[in-house]
Amino acid sequence: MSEREKPVVVPHDPAWAAGGRQLCDQLRAALGPLALRVDHIGSTSVPGMAAKDIYDVQISVADLDAAAAAFDAPLAALGFVRRPFLRDHVPAGREDREDPADWAKRYWSRRTGDAHPVNLHVRGAGSPNERLALLFRDWLSATPEAVAAYARFKYVLAGAVDDTGTYADVKDPVVDLIAVVAERWAAETGWRPH
């Protein structure tokens, strides 16, 4: 899927959980110890959530440049292509938004053959963007009443825009709002990435 393709949001597929686990296991085996964590993230990782039928996976690493160099060949063998996105969206109002290095990432995608489509985000272990992806998943998973509302927003948005780039740009401020509530939940519950 390119950024120019129309986004398609589909109902939750219960098979996404097992498919995400299998993909994470495959990536752990292919990437070795530089992959400190491999997590199924994004909407397909949230029970009951409607989503684009594309897995999002986050790989946490100690050094982005070293990992990117080491990961290119094994990921290419699995059908992944490195893309030029080097930084994540920074949520509005974040005090750490002044240091772009805090939100750096490396990104690959797979859209070939019979393999399930994947967005692969490689982020620094302990970075705010690594934490936010895990918090977003865990808060939505723990707050099923929010799942229906966020899913409805995604359906309406996908029907109103013509491309996935615009879809992502419009969705970012809503994710920012979720992050505010999720951060409060994390503080109240003692949530930590596990």
Side-chain angles (χ1 to χ4, degrees), residues 1 7-10 16 44 50-55 119 154 164 167:
M1 177 181 292
V8 177
V9 174
V10 299
W16 285 338
T44 60
K52 291 182 286 147
D53 189 19
I54 301 169
Y55 291 126
N119 297 322
K154 294 194 317 172
T164 57
Y167 176 86

Side-chain angles (χ1 to χ4, degrees), residues 121-137:
H121 311 267
V122 176
R123 296 178 172 123
S127 66
N129 52 351
E130 179 216 28
R131 181 183 182 280
L132 181 59
L134 299 170
L135 175 60
F136 180 84
R137 177 198 66 194

Side-chain angles (χ1 to χ4, degrees), residues 26-140:
Q26 179 186 37
L27 289 166
R28 272 186 211 95
L31 300 176
L34 287 180
L36 303 176
R37 291 180 61 119
V38 180
D39 293 285
H40 182 196
I41 60 167
S43 292
T44 60
S45 71
V46 176
M49 178 62 74
K52 291 182 286 147
D53 189 19
I54 301 169
Y55 291 126
D56 281 280
V57 173
Q58 175 172 267
I59 299 177
S60 303
V61 300
D63 182 286
L64 282 175
D65 291 327
F71 291 174
D72 271 332
L75 288 175
L78 295 173
F80 287 88
V81 175
R82 185 156 12 153
R83 305 286 305 277
F85 305 109
L86 300 175
R87 186 168 182 257
D88 279 314
H89 162 77
V90 179
R94 293 293 295 251
E95 294 174 1
D96 50 354
R97 96 182 284 143
E98 297 305 314
D99 187 355
D102 287 346
W103 295 85
K105 75 173 184 180
R106 302 298 178 267
Y107 175 78
W108 287 258
S109 64
R110 181 174 71 190
R111 303 287 192 275
T112 59
D114 295 333
H116 204 102
V118 180
N119 297 322
L120 182 63
H121 311 267
V122 176
R123 296 178 172 123
S127 66
N129 52 351
E130 179 216 28
R131 181 183 182 280
L132 181 59
L134 299 170
L135 175 60
F136 180 84
R137 177 198 66 194
D138 291 355
W139 180 80
L140 279 167

